[in-house]
Amino acid sequence: MNTMHDAPNVGLVLSGGGARGAYEVGVLRYLRERIPFATPFNVITGTSVGAINGAYIAATCDRPRAQARMLQRVWMEMTIDSVYGMSWRQLRKLPTILFGQDLPKTPHGGRVGGLVDTSALEALVRKRIPWRGITENIHRGHLGAFACTATEMATGISTVFMQNAAGARGRWPHGPNEMIVPTSITAAHTLASAAIPLLFPAIRVGDQFYLDGALRQNTPLRPAMRLGANRLLVVGLSRHETTQVRRQRQRMRAEYSYPNTFFLLGKMLNALMLDKVETDLQRIEQTNILIDAGEAEFGLDFGTRLASAMNRPPYRKIQTCMIHPSEDLGKIAWELVRSGRLDRYTGFFAKLIRRSVASDNNFEDGESDLASYMLFDGEYIRRCIDLGYADAEARRVELMQLFDR
């Protein structure tokens, strides 16, 4: 039996980002196809679409060679019209959704609000992910823990739903805006994690309703570390740029696009989906430097002694590898929409995406943040997967070191 006992304690951290989540599939495909000694992940954490991808990986980690191809097939079944179900009946509900005067207090189906009919997406998540596999893989030792992050609607608290073999949270530092819930992860937990406010309905889990975990924690590094991972593969969904270059480019584009409504919607999604992952990685690196210096000065038990004095879990060095798009996914989406790719779709949101790109006539070579999050189209999904595969290949040495025993 392929167990985790002799393997590095590697955690997989998956971000939120709507249709951009196809990029994560490409990274996983490369890992499974080109690094054969890569073990199943001991810990998996995800937010929003990363929670859905993570649940699939957790449920199939006993079949590592096949899981990436299987997940890719699930992604290729998605279309704009199926993910974003919309009708005039839905549009007529908009005042109720915005002002909530007639929303039922005990809604049927465990969800409330939402401009979009997500029935097709929910059916795909519930049927195509073998949910019992998460518990079975944890029980058999193929997986140490799985966690997904959602936001409690009533309080705004970031809630980490966590499942591991012990069924307990262990020594998890208490935070004022974070709550840990040991539970058996189901489709409801991941759908709640992916419930974009206003657009998707809030999902009931237990006696509370939950929304997109990206509101407070889009890239859940800390849950992975607290669940025992000492090596992290982090997959981001935004192109890495220096702060100065990014700001210069954004200001130049805003000069021509602002106050275009679609431009503002894209920036709102960016603000929702892209968190301070680079800051977290810098903090990890600073802690590693501190531990190295402390061990050199005071001995190899420095991290344990320091943690004991502060009544915290032991400080450990964390090895990280972050992979993120080398190309702007907004630019890829913009090019595909401009090519007429969406003309075959008839739904409201396909028209919205086409109009958002058509309104951007000031650039020969443009980008669309809004389209990059919403473009559940086969060609865009394929290009994101291919880019993830290529970017992982460019980091082959780091990936091999991450899984090196």
Side-chain angles (χ1 to χ4, degrees):
M1 181 172 63
N2 181 22
T3 63
M4 304 292 299
H5 302 306
D6 297 323
N9 200 352
V10 182
L12 175 65
V13 181
L14 299 175
S15 307
R20 294 185 181 205
Y23 179 87
E24 298 170 342
V25 182
V27 174
L28 181 68
R29 257 196 58 200
Y30 178 82
L31 196 64
R32 294 306 180 218
E33 294 177 5
R34 301 299 299 276
I35 305 184
F37 64 85
T39 58
F41 296 100
N42 185 267
V43 174
I44 300 172
T45 63
T47 296
S48 196
V49 70
I52 296 174
N53 281 340
Y56 193 97
I57 297 168
T60 60
C61 62
D62 56 323
R63 294 170 282 169
R65 292 187 178 182
Q67 64 180 176
R69 289 285 183 180
M70 294 189 299
L71 181 56
Q72 179 172 327
R73 285 197 290 269
V74 173
W75 268 86
M76 296 305 294
E77 293 179 18
M78 299 187 201
T79 66
I80 297 172
D81 290 344
S82 65
V83 172
Y84 303 106
M86 176 58 67
S87 64
W88 285 112
R89 178 176 174 273
Q90 295 292 121
L91 287 175
R92 286 197 297 269
K93 292 168 53 180
L94 182 58
T96 300
I97 293 169
L98 289 175
F99 303 108
Q101 294 179 348
D102 299 320
L103 288 176
K105 303 304 180 185
T106 55
H108 297 289
R111 48 194 172 121
V112 64
L115 180 61
V116 173
D117 180 2
T118 57
S119 299
L121 176 62
E122 290 184 20
L124 186 70
V125 170
R126 294 181 186 277
K127 293 178 181 178
R128 295 303 302 274
I129 298 178
W131 290 100
R132 291 178 58 185
I134 298 176
T135 300
E136 292 173 357
N137 284 326
I138 290 175
H139 177 72
R140 294 173 181 172
H142 297 300
L143 176 69
F146 172 59
C148 63
T149 303
T151 304
E152 188 180 85
M153 188 168 69
T155 63
I157 292 176
S158 180
T159 304
V160 180
F161 297 109
M162 177 270 292
Q163 182 175 357
N164 63 4
R169 56 186 258 175
R171 296 184 65 186
W172 197 305
H174 175 73
N177 295 311
E178 185 179 62
M179 181 168 57
I180 316 303
V181 181
T183 186
S184 295
I185 304 294
T186 67
H189 297 96
T190 56
L191 289 169
S193 180
I196 301 172
L198 184 62
L199 196 62
F200 289 0
I203 303 295
R204 181 200 291 272
V205 179
D207 59 354
Q208 295 295 325
F209 286 93
Y210 293 87
L211 295 165
D212 202 318
L215 286 170
R216 299 196 64 93
Q217 189 179 80
N218 189 47
T219 308
L221 276 77
R222 283 168 290 178
M225 291 187 291
R226 290 168 180 170
L227 286 168
N230 56 14
R231 304 185 187 186
L232 296 178
L233 173 58
V234 185
V235 185
L237 297 179
S238 62
R239 182 185 181 189
H240 176 70
E241 296 176 303
T242 65
T243 301
Q244 183 178 0
V245 170
R246 181 170 62 248
R247 287 177 179 173
Q248 182 178 1
R249 181 175 58 83
Q250 290 172 339
R251 286 168 178 163
M252 181 183 70
R253 189 163 186 79
E255 182 178 346
Y256 295 96
S257 300
Y258 184 81
N260 183 307
T261 301
F262 301 109
F263 175 84
L264 293 177
L265 284 172
K267 294 307 173 187
M268 287 173 61
L269 281 172
N270 270 343
L272 173 66
M273 296 293 183
L274 306 181
D275 62 5
K276 300 178 181 179
V277 61
E278 292 180 4
T279 301
D280 288 339
L281 290 172
Q282 290 173 0
R283 187 177 294 113
I284 290 173
E285 182 59 28
Q286 291 168 356
T287 301
N288 289 344
I289 294 172
L290 173 65
I291 292 174
D292 280 339
E295 289 179 349
E297 185 70 24
F298 303 106
L300 296 179
D301 62 345
F302 169 75
T304 301
R305 289 161 53 195
L306 178 62
S308 178
M310 301 176 65
N311 194 29
R312 293 176 56 92
Y315 286 95
R316 301 170 299 164
K317 290 180 64 176
I318 305 294
Q319 180 180 344
T320 63
C321 174
M322 181 168 186
I323 299 178
H324 41 66
S326 58
E327 299 179 29
D328 192 328
L329 298 183
K331 180 179 179 181
I332 295 174
W334 187 90
E335 291 172 348
L336 286 174
V337 177
R338 295 278 285 199
S339 72
R341 176 76 189 175
L342 266 65
D343 292 349
R344 61 198 183 96
Y345 294 103
T346 60
F348 172 84
F349 279 92
K351 296 177 181 177
L352 175 68
I353 296 170
R354 286 199 299 266
R355 180 162 296 185
S356 72
V357 171
S359 67
D360 186 9
N361 293 317
N362 295 301
F363 288 85
E364 292 293 329
D365 185 16
E367 62 183 44
S368 174
D369 292 326
L370 181 63
S372 71
Y373 290 111
M374 300 183 66
L375 195 55
F376 285 90
D377 168 74
E379 179 61 20
Y380 178 68
I381 289 171
R382 184 191 63 78
R383 289 187 60 174
C384 286
I385 291 174
D386 290 347
L387 182 61
Y389 192 97
D391 288 343
E393 185 171 35
R395 308 292 290 277
R396 177 179 176 83
V397 173
E398 291 177 61
L399 287 171
M400 292 180 69
Q401 291 173 346
L402 196 72
F403 289 94
D404 187 355
R405 294 172 185 266

